[in-house]
Amino acid sequence: MRQAPDGLAVIDGQARFVDANPAAVLLCGLDPDDVAGAPSPFPVPDEPAAAGRSGELTVAWEPGPGHRREFAYVLAPIPGEGRWIVSFRDVTLSRLRERRLTAIAKAASSVASKRSLVGTLEALAQEVARTDALAGVQVLTVNSSGDRLHVMGVAGFGRAADFFDRLMECRARGAELKMLEALERQEPLVVPDRYEQTMQDPAWAPLHDLLRHPRWDWFVSVPLLARGEPVGILNAFYAPGQVVGATELEFLLAMAEQAAMAVDHAAQRQRERDVARREERQKLARDLHDSVVQQVFSMMMQARSLSVLVERGLPPTPDRVAQVADDLSTSAEAVLADLRGMVVELRPAATTGEGLAPALQSLVDTTSARTGVPVSLEVDDRDDELPAQDADLLEDVYRIVAEALHNSVKHADAATILVRLAVTSHGRRRRLLAEVADDGRGLTAGGAAAPAGGSTSSGFGMTVMRERAARWGGAVRVRQPAAGGTSVRLTLPLPTSLPAVPATETTVAP
């Protein structure tokens, strides 16, 4: 027993040590001369018969501040004595590695799921702090002009809207800002005993109230680098007794990499949104020019013709006035219909919280009432999967369907239009199908011949539709069915989610 590498001990009914071998004394940080009666980390089962049934359990133990250990143990009762034999081993490092890998995987999943940047970095800060039991964590990002830092994620400390202003005030007082040094040098900086330095330096007074609690000691600042450029900082505040070694720094670097990916991904999405807005404005300008502007110009010329006749002393006949009035009324109705159609298309209905199907139903009803063309909607989402999809994905689907429906109404001269929406299986993947089919004049309705195969289309509207679909790995195809008309079909693969992994049974000492 003295030479056994695992801890071996006897504990009583109150979970106190009765005896322990040298390995147990060392692992638990006991006084070799005062083992009997010392509290143990191992909870005693409510019933002796329950011991040993569940196999190996785990428990956390803190013999002193900053010295946290985890033990895997097995209990066996000593018959008739109310005591237990416990065999245990230190699994602190292996469990820590598991938690770190899990944290990195969660951070990567959060980035991939395209949540908001604030939500992603907040979750990442909490995950870093929880995994390594840190006192606090901050994740800050650099603004677009590169002259300010914004706290986007925090754990342990409170939030302060004026944090950067306070930080700059500390700098003006002469405080040494390691985080800015790390950002400038683009490499991590580790500072031991930073708490005392900070609290004793009057230059840090503007941030003393924010950084005083919880108590911390070592400080690490890791820059967030995306495409070789600094985009933010991850600050880690270690609890007293904790030290920063190679493995701790490696974990912070991995999490900083995930944070940088989130920042870069958010910036890329913003650029895509800016491009989409610019394209939408260009399309709106084109539609206004092609329809509304020309019709208004025609109305102006008709009204001007009456004015010219009056100026020349040739009053128009009642028949001429009636004809012009009728033409003006018809043109005004057409202008009003086009403007209403544009308003419907521009409305961000798919992200209002009602869902994609209700948004499309509203679009279909409004279009039918506005144009007089019967438009129907069929939805097949038996497992109610659509509400769980990314809001931006649903918005793009809505825009694609709205554009296809607009084209059918404007160019196809259709008697009926059918909009279909379905979630189906494709091998092991799930996919979303959206289709707008009409019984109109087909692909030559706009005056252009159908391309070979009938599977492609041109024009700015189709370009935008295909770009929206490609953003999610999907495709838009235009076909002319044998029965006539036109079919615009969108196919999108839906993101897959990992199944939940059941947690292992863990016992934590109070």
Side-chain angles (χ1 to χ4, degrees):
M1 291 179 63
R2 288 195 188 97
Q3 302 303 320
D6 289 345
L8 296 170
V10 177
I11 60 175
D12 61 18
Q14 283 73 46
R16 295 173 301 190
F17 283 109
V18 176
D19 200 358
N21 72 340
V25 171
L26 181 63
L27 289 172
C28 294
L30 303 174
D31 183 348
D33 299 324
D34 194 19
V35 172
S40 82
F42 311 105
V44 174
D46 295 334
E47 299 178 8
R53 278 191 201 167
S54 302
E56 195 174 64
L57 304 175
T58 57
V59 66
W61 175 247
E62 293 188 12
H67 299 283
R68 187 178 187 275
R69 288 182 172 176
E70 292 185 58
F71 300 134
Y73 69 97
V74 177
L75 279 174
I78 302 177
E81 295 190 17
R83 297 179 178 182
W84 282 261
I85 297 174
V86 57
S87 172
F88 63 100
R89 56 192 175 88
D90 191 344
V91 294
T92 305
L93 292 180
S94 62
R95 296 278 291 183
L96 182 57
R97 281 193 293 268
E98 290 176 4
R99 285 197 299 271
R100 286 173 175 170
L101 289 173
T102 301
I104 294 171
K106 285 184 178 179
S109 176
S110 178
V111 173
S113 65
K114 298 182 176 60
R115 299 191 312 172
S116 71
L117 180 61
V118 174
T120 298
L121 297 184
E122 184 76 13
L124 188 142
Q126 298 287 343
E127 201 64 45
V128 173
R130 179 169 51 250
T131 299
D132 272 15
L134 303 187
V137 175
Q138 291 176 329
V139 181
L140 302 94
T141 60
V142 181
N143 68 347
S144 58
S145 59
D147 58 359
R148 286 187 68 86
L149 291 171
H150 299 284
V151 179
M152 303 290 280
V154 65
F157 300 112
R159 282 187 175 274
D162 59 346
F163 175 83
F164 183 76
D165 295 328
R166 292 199 205 182
L167 188 67
M168 291 299 97
E169 186 178 348
C170 293
R171 185 184 189 184
R173 291 172 173 229
E176 187 180 14
L177 305 185
K178 292 295 184 181
M179 69 176 73
L180 297 187
E181 184 179 346
L183 193 64
E184 182 180 352
R185 293 168 56 177
Q186 298 187 21
E187 60 183 32
L189 289 179
V190 180
V191 187
D193 307 320
R194 183 63 168 169
Y195 181 86
E196 293 298 336
Q197 299 172 19
T198 302
M199 294 303 156
Q200 293 176 8
D201 188 350
W204 283 97
L207 282 173
H208 278 170
D209 60 332
L210 187 65
L211 300 179
R212 190 179 305 278
H213 301 290
R215 183 70 164 80
W216 50 279
D217 193 2
W218 284 43
F219 171 77
V220 180
S221 188
V222 181
L224 311 183
L225 303 177
R227 307 174 192 271
E229 296 295 328
V231 295
I233 306 170
L234 188 153
N235 293 329
F237 302 79
Y238 283 77
Q242 292 180 321
V243 296
V244 180
T247 57
E248 286 76 16
L249 191 56
E250 182 181 355
F251 171 61
L252 290 181
L253 287 170
M255 296 300 280
E257 183 179 355
Q258 296 300 326
M261 289 176 59
V263 175
D264 184 56
H265 177 68
Q268 183 177 356
R269 289 179 64 197
Q270 183 60 46
R271 288 191 294 269
E272 290 177 351
R273 283 193 290 266
D274 292 341
V275 170
R277 291 192 190 101
R278 184 165 60 251
E279 291 172 345
E280 292 287 359
R281 285 194 291 268
Q282 291 172 354
K283 177 181 179 296
L284 181 61
R286 185 202 66 189
D287 288 346
L288 285 171
H289 179 270
D290 291 347
S291 58
V292 176
V293 172
Q294 292 184 11
Q295 293 178 58
V296 171
F297 179 76
S298 175
M299 295 167 65
M300 182 185 69
M301 294 303 296
Q302 289 172 317
R304 181 62 180 162
S305 67
L306 295 180
S307 176
V308 169
L309 290 175
V310 172
E311 289 175 357
R312 293 179 177 177
L314 302 172
T317 64
D319 291 342
R320 175 61 176 163
V321 173
Q323 180 184 352
V324 172
D326 185 61
D327 291 344
L328 289 175
S329 176
T330 301
S331 297
E333 289 178 359
V335 169
L336 184 60
D338 284 342
L339 289 176
R340 283 175 174 170
M342 293 177 188
V343 170
V344 170
E345 291 174 24
L346 291 173
R347 184 179 59 191
T351 55
T352 59
E354 296 181 358
L356 178 59
L360 289 179
Q361 186 64 60
S362 176
L363 174 67
V364 164
D365 293 343
T366 304
T367 302
S368 184
R370 174 175 57 86
T371 64
V373 179
V375 185
S376 57
L377 173 67
E378 295 180 358
V379 178
D380 183 5
D381 183 21
R382 300 173 186 176
D383 298 326
D384 200 25
E385 298 177 63
L386 287 176
Q389 302 305 315
D390 188 286
D392 288 341
L393 182 148
L394 298 180
E395 181 70 23
D396 279 335
V397 172
Y398 176 85
R399 294 297 178 199
I400 292 170
V401 172
E403 174 67 19
L405 183 57
H406 170 76
N407 289 339
S408 289
V409 169
K410 190 170 184 179
H411 302 297
D413 193 23
T416 60
I417 302 175
L418 174 61
V419 179
R420 298 188 184 95
L421 184 69
V423 178
T424 65
S425 295
H426 183 67
R428 296 183 178 180
R429 296 291 301 273
R430 303 287 286 169
R431 66 179 183 178
L432 184 149
L433 300 178
E435 184 179 22
V436 177
D438 63 60
D439 59 357
R441 292 179 291 187
L443 293 172
T444 58
S455 60
T456 62
S457 182
S458 59
F460 183 79
M462 277 304 307
T463 300
V464 173
M465 292 165 67
R466 287 187 169 126
E467 287 178 352
R468 288 185 182 276
R471 190 178 304 167
W472 306 98
V476 174
R477 292 180 174 84
V478 182
R479 298 185 183 278
Q480 182 168 328
T486 306
S487 169
V488 179
R489 189 172 191 180
L490 164 69
T491 305
L492 280 182
L494 294 180
T496 56
S497 58
L498 295 175
V501 179
T504 56
E505 185 176 2
T506 303
T507 305
V508 179

